[in-house]
Amino acid sequence: MAVDAHKAQIKRHLSIHFGISFTKGITHTDVLNELKTLVDQNEIQTIQITEKECIVTVHDQNTKHTLLTRGINLKNRYIRMVDVEQQVTNVTIKDAPCEMSDVTICGHLSKFGDVVQGSLRRGLIKDTNIETGTRYVQLTNCIPIIPTATKFGRFSVRMFADNNRTECPYCTRTDHPSYRCTNKPSRQNQAARKCYRCNSTTHTQ
């Protein structure tokens, strides 16, 4: 009981964070250099980079507010930060028409969680401005499981989320992506392969 009491006393009201699945390989210096374009270095207490996220702790609420409202750019990506007590889930959307507006995408995603304002980005072919059709967005307050296949209006789309919120189509577990599943049928065993949209074994897509 004493341990629980100590945990309850930990206050994280000056910490904010963002997911790093889209910015792998970033360093503390990368983050610091971007933060310094917005706030004084002396106002930053800690920069922690974990396997899935970067946590920034500052010294006062004004600095925190500045970072929350402004965001930073890392590896050519604009990143919005959120309060550390809010878990950020990164969602990848595939197969949505490129003509579908970002506002429409966010509207459809709102039934799965709260879209982090300004977080939606369109995938680009490396070193070009040509889009891949993939969208990336961050959600907070997500439902426990985000479906791998759904409809945005009349269009079928696929979605993949981190934080163990996407079920593997082969075993329904959430602790690994489908391509790493030990139950995934081999290419020789096509009869056991499932469609990612409807789970039928008569076709694969």
Side-chain angles (χ1 to χ4, degrees):
M1 294 298 293
V3 173
D4 291 338
H6 285 305
K7 286 183 178 180
Q9 293 173 5
I10 296 176
K11 302 295 184 182
R12 308 192 73 189
H13 59 284
L14 291 176
S15 292
I16 55 181
H17 70 152
F18 60 90
I20 61 173
S21 61
F22 300 147
T23 52
K24 291 187 182 298
I26 63 168
T27 66
H28 293 83
T29 302
D30 293 333
V31 178
L32 176 59
N33 287 339
E34 290 301 320
L35 294 177
K36 288 193 298 184
T37 65
L38 299 175
V39 299
D40 190 293
Q41 178 175 326
N42 294 325
E43 298 300 329
I44 303 168
Q45 178 179 335
T46 309
I47 298 173
Q48 296 174 278
I49 297 178
T50 70
E51 184 179 355
K52 293 184 177 181
E53 64 182 355
C54 177
I55 305 168
V56 178
T57 303
V58 296
H59 289 295
D60 62 72
Q61 287 290 345
N62 288 337
T63 302
K64 176 183 175 181
H65 178 73
T66 297
L67 296 179
L68 285 175
T69 55
R70 298 285 296 278
I72 59 175
N73 286 285
L74 283 172
K75 292 194 171 183
N76 298 318
R77 283 189 180 277
Y78 175 71
I79 294 173
R80 293 295 295 264
M81 291 179 274
V82 299
D83 193 283
V84 76
E85 299 297 347
Q86 289 187 295
Q87 186 180 50
V88 177
T89 296
N90 295 289
V91 181
T92 301
I93 303 109
K94 291 183 176 291
D95 305 336
C98 64
E99 298 88 352
M100 185 175 287
S101 71
D102 293 348
V103 172
T104 301
I105 294 282
C106 290
H108 286 293
L109 288 172
S110 63
K111 60 187 174 185
F112 305 116
D114 299 329
V115 178
V116 177
Q117 184 178 4
S119 69
L120 193 147
R121 289 291 174 267
R122 293 173 177 245
L124 299 175
I125 297 174
K126 187 176 180 179
D127 299 325
T128 75
N129 290 320
I130 301 173
E131 296 183 8
T132 63
T134 301
R135 316 281 180 104
Y136 304 97
V137 70
Q138 294 180 327
L139 300 179
T140 58
N141 302 317
C142 288
I143 61 175
I145 300 296
I146 292 178
T148 54
T150 188
K151 280 186 173 289
F152 287 179
R154 61 189 177 92
F155 299 102
S156 297
V157 301
R158 291 176 291 158
M159 297 195 299
F160 306 95
D162 61 6
N163 293 334
N164 295 335
R165 294 187 188 276
T166 299
E167 284 187 346
C168 170
Y170 303 111
C171 68
T172 71
R173 290 173 55 182
T174 62
D175 59 353
H176 60 267
S178 60
Y179 63 85
R180 291 182 180 170
C181 185
T182 56
N183 292 343
K184 181 179 180 179
S186 65
R187 290 190 176 277
Q188 290 73 27
N189 188 15
Q190 290 290 331
R193 294 174 69 85
K194 294 181 179 180
C195 170
Y196 60 76
R197 299 185 192 277
C198 67
N199 287 328
S200 170
T201 57
T202 61
H203 56 274
T204 57
Q205 58 180 336

